[in-house]
Amino acid sequence: MKKLLVLFALIAAACASTQSETPEERIAAVEHRLDTSPEWSMAFTTTTTGAVKSRFTGTMNVLPHNFASIDADGFMRDQPVHIRWDASGKPSQVSHALSITVVRLGITHNLAVLAGGAKMIEHADGGIDQALKLTNVAWDAKDKKFTYHVVVEGVDSGTGELRVGHRDMPRERKLDVRFPDGSKMHVEERYEWR
């Protein structure tokens, strides 16, 4: 019995001396893990409804030294879309932009940019940390999810829910976006890490 009390006291002291992470620190740790990983890869599915209707399945790969690729097939605005994009070491912030975007906003925005004819994702030269922010971040330990507001270029642009799995890696996202013209879009994404 005495040993049990000593063990309980040690556990209580360890818990009391450990500061718990805030939700912002927890989600920042996920971004840091991706951003500093030598490489990462995921398969994804995305669906949007509302102002923009789309559906994609594909893969994203991020390798050392700003080598990255996105391959996706699907449709956007009732038109078939096939995305085959890669970055071969330039611009200088490709890997960082992909890592931050996948945690804060998801992949749908980059797919829309590339489907629209762009040759490069946004903020590949830098600035993603200032352009895309999360506010009102909350953590639900029971459901293993973050809820938040997404702020794009200083404008509160919607609310999100990011469910996570092992090591808090993104698993599933729901995002309700408000565009400047007042229209709305609902986004659902699922990720499988490889």
Side-chain angles (χ1 to χ4, degrees):
M1 180 71 160
K2 196 173 195 178
K3 288 182 182 178
L4 185 59
L5 288 174
V6 170
L7 179 62
F8 178 73
L10 288 172
I11 291 171
C15 290
S17 66
T18 303
Q19 293 182 347
S20 61
E21 290 179 305
T22 66
E24 292 83 0
E25 291 168 338
R26 188 177 190 126
I27 206 162
V30 177
E31 292 175 349
H32 180 75
R33 193 175 306 121
L34 277 178
D35 201 30
T36 59
S37 175
E39 60 185 68
W40 54 269
S41 178
M42 70 173 189
F44 59 82
T45 61
T46 70
T47 304
T48 63
T49 56
V52 178
K53 293 179 178 69
S54 71
R55 178 161 174 75
F56 287 98
T57 60
T59 58
M60 178 190 293
N61 301 289
V62 176
L63 303 171
H65 311 294
N66 289 304
F67 283 81
S69 66
I70 298 174
D71 295 306
D73 294 301
F75 72 88
M76 180 170 267
R77 294 186 169 108
D78 298 323
Q79 298 297 313
V81 177
H82 308 284
I83 296 170
R84 302 293 175 264
W85 173 83
D86 62 39
S88 300
K90 294 182 181 179
S92 63
Q93 296 290 307
V94 168
S95 297
H96 180 67
L98 289 171
S99 296
I100 298 304
T101 303
V102 86
V103 174
R104 296 182 189 180
L105 189 61
I107 183 128
T108 296
H109 179 74
N110 283 329
L111 294 173
V113 167
L114 296 170
K119 302 294 182 205
M120 185 55 61
I121 62 167
E122 291 182 347
H123 302 291
D125 283 320
I128 190 66
D129 296 298
Q130 295 76 30
L132 185 59
K133 295 189 178 285
L134 300 181
T135 63
N136 302 340
V137 180
W139 168 245
D140 180 338
K142 180 181 174 207
D143 289 333
K144 288 201 68 158
K145 71 178 181 181
F146 294 96
T147 55
Y148 56 90
H149 283 247
V150 63
V151 178
V152 180
E153 304 289 345
V155 177
D156 188 335
S157 300
T159 57
E161 172 184 294
L162 178 63
R163 292 182 181 273
V164 297
H166 179 66
R167 296 183 65 204
D168 286 345
M169 294 302 284
R171 187 173 53 87
E172 180 180 316
R173 175 186 323 275
K174 292 181 181 175
L175 187 63
D176 289 306
V177 179
R178 291 182 309 278
F179 293 108
D181 67 2
S183 61
K184 297 179 181 178
M185 178 177 71
H186 179 74
V187 179
E188 293 193 11
E189 299 182 346
R190 288 185 175 75
Y191 317 108
E192 180 183 316
W193 296 89
R194 300 173 170 192

